[in-house]
Amino acid sequence: SQKHDAKRMEEFRNRTGYAKEKKRPVREDDTHGIPDMKFQGKVDLWARALVIFVNVMMLWAVFSSLNQGKESMIEIIIVLMVLVIVDLLMVPMCFRNYILGEQELLIVFGLIKKRIRYSNIELLEETHNPLSSLAMSFDRIYVHTSSGDDVLVAVKEKKAFIEEVYRRAGIF
């Protein structure tokens, strides 16, 4: 819940001396010259199974309509169009990346792109929060930001991702 997350964030700030009033100085050249890094997104078995299940059900609907004659051709065409649209939206989500650029974290999740400036990142926290997010795994990282643009992400190499984001953000 948001109350719980806010309480944990406040506890972290008190424990580490990172007070709310303290602001990191924004340095435009923090990562100047550091090459972009790409981290592969993590996809759980349930997400892959969901994509396969949707495809199997749509194809089953097509094959069951084939024996019904010409009247079912419109149904078949509609189901195939829905199948193509669903695959165009869902399949790219299984092949996405998180890119650490010079000044921002770029999250590529299917057709969605989201940018978060390092200067806005306050804390990265490992979580298994099932809330809607830009992740196809429940093994996630909660990115807390000062701009209120918090997001949940899932990467295969969590520790390396967290360390690199912190380094680029100048947090620890």
Side-chain angles (χ1 to χ4, degrees):
S1 76
Q2 288 181 346
K3 274 187 177 179
H4 181 67
D5 290 339
K7 183 179 177 186
R8 286 178 40 203
M9 186 70 171
E10 190 62 37
E11 288 171 0
F12 169 79
R13 288 180 172 141
N14 292 336
R15 190 174 63 244
T16 61
Y18 186 82
K20 255 186 185 174
E21 297 79 34
K22 257 194 217 175
K23 295 285 184 185
R24 282 192 322 270
V26 177
R27 293 174 286 169
E28 294 301 322
D29 62 346
D30 273 350
T31 58
H32 184 68
I34 297 176
D36 290 357
M37 289 184 72
K38 200 179 271 191
F39 285 84
Q40 184 64 43
K42 186 173 184 178
V43 181
D44 280 349
L45 183 60
W46 66 264
R48 293 182 195 279
L50 178 65
V51 172
I52 291 168
F53 176 76
V54 168
N55 277 279
V56 167
M57 294 308 293
M58 294 287 208
L59 291 174
W60 178 77
V62 167
F63 287 120
S64 66
S65 296
L66 285 177
N67 298 332
Q68 296 178 5
K70 294 180 181 179
E71 302 85 34
S72 67
M73 287 309 279
I74 293 175
E75 291 175 18
I76 292 171
I77 292 170
I78 290 172
V79 169
L80 288 174
M81 286 174 36
V82 169
L83 178 64
V84 168
I85 291 169
V86 166
D87 280 348
L88 285 174
L89 295 174
M90 289 182 71
V91 171
M93 291 179 192
C94 294
F95 304 100
R96 82 253 176 262
N97 296 297
Y98 301 96
I99 301 167
L100 304 180
E102 281 193 34
Q103 300 297 317
E104 62 192 6
L105 165 63
L106 172 62
I107 301 166
V108 180
F109 184 69
L111 303 175
I112 301 168
K113 288 185 180 182
K114 182 174 182 139
R115 298 174 187 275
I116 300 174
R117 296 197 53 84
Y118 295 126
S119 59
N120 291 336
I121 295 175
E122 293 182 338
L123 174 70
L124 278 76
E125 182 179 15
E126 294 184 34
T127 183
H128 294 281
N129 190 333
L131 290 177
S132 176
S133 71
L134 302 178
M136 298 220 19
S137 169
F138 290 129
D139 189 18
R140 299 172 174 179
I141 300 169
Y142 188 8
V143 181
H144 295 271
T145 64
S146 59
S147 62
D149 205 16
D150 296 359
V151 66
L152 292 162
V153 298
V155 293
K156 288 182 180 177
E157 302 170 24
K158 282 174 37 173
K159 297 288 185 203
F161 178 82
I162 291 170
E163 288 174 9
E164 188 61 26
V165 170
Y166 277 163
R167 187 173 76 77
R168 289 174 185 247
I171 294 176
F172 293 116

